[in-house]
Amino acid sequence: MTDNTPRIDHVVLWVRDPVGAAGFYERALGMEPLRVTEYAAGTVSFPSVRLNEETIFDLAPLTLAERMTMVPGAADSAGHPVNHVCVALGQDDFDALRDRLQRQAVPVSAITHDAYGARGMARRSFYFRDPDGNVVEARHYD
């Protein structure tokens, strides 16, 4: 990719079970698991899941906290999920995700309308939690 427009490259989520978290995101959002085999073999520190061609979620095990030394206090973030991560989907994918989550007995919020976001007003959105308590918002703009 040669476009250098600013964008989110990755989001790092603290998780108890990175392999299980990768499975959840694959089943729930259809995200492609990356480096799961290597993580299980102990050759990489964490696996990831790909949202699209330019954005991934890194699934950091809580055991990495002790190595978080890039800024003072960084290790204290372990176990504290971000407020939420939002994924924008097409209308059909949005509806399919909500149906999948409900079939898998994953609690979902009520649908909200006209929430402001990066692309303006989203037509509909809802929230759900991953197995580690991270909140994910799904929305569509069309």
Side-chain angles (χ1 to χ4, degrees):
M1 183 162 111
T2 57
D3 179 1
N4 288 318
T5 304
R7 62 189 50 144
I8 292 178
D9 181 84
H10 67 278
V11 173
V12 181
L13 300 175
W14 287 116
V15 299
R16 290 181 304 275
D17 173 10
V19 173
F24 173 82
Y25 282 100
E26 180 181 22
R27 287 186 310 276
L29 283 166
M31 296 172 81
E32 174 190 0
L34 305 171
R35 303 176 352 140
V36 173
T37 303
E38 295 89 337
Y39 172 76
T43 59
V44 298
S45 300
F46 56 86
S48 304
V49 287
R50 181 169 296 287
L51 177 64
N52 58 41
E53 67 183 30
E54 59 190 38
T55 307
I56 62 174
F57 291 4
D58 292 333
L59 306 171
L62 292 172
T63 56
L64 278 183
E66 62 194 33
R67 299 198 288 188
M68 298 295 294
T69 59
M70 71 287 284
V71 293
D76 296 337
S77 73
H80 296 278
V82 297
N83 181 283
H84 73 277
V85 174
C86 180
V87 294
L89 306 167
Q91 182 174 345
D92 292 342
D93 290 336
F94 174 91
D95 291 331
L97 169 61
R98 189 169 174 85
D99 290 343
R100 258 192 322 279
L101 292 170
Q102 290 175 322
R103 282 194 311 274
Q104 294 172 20
V106 174
V108 298
S109 73
I111 290 179
T112 60
H113 300 274
D114 301 322
Y116 179 76
R119 299 181 198 171
M121 299 303 279
R123 185 164 180 190
R124 296 184 301 161
S125 62
F126 70 90
Y127 297 83
F128 61 96
R129 293 178 70 177
D130 76 5
D132 290 283
N134 294 298
V135 177
V136 179
E137 177 185 0
R139 61 173 45 196
H140 77 87
Y141 287 93
D142 44 59

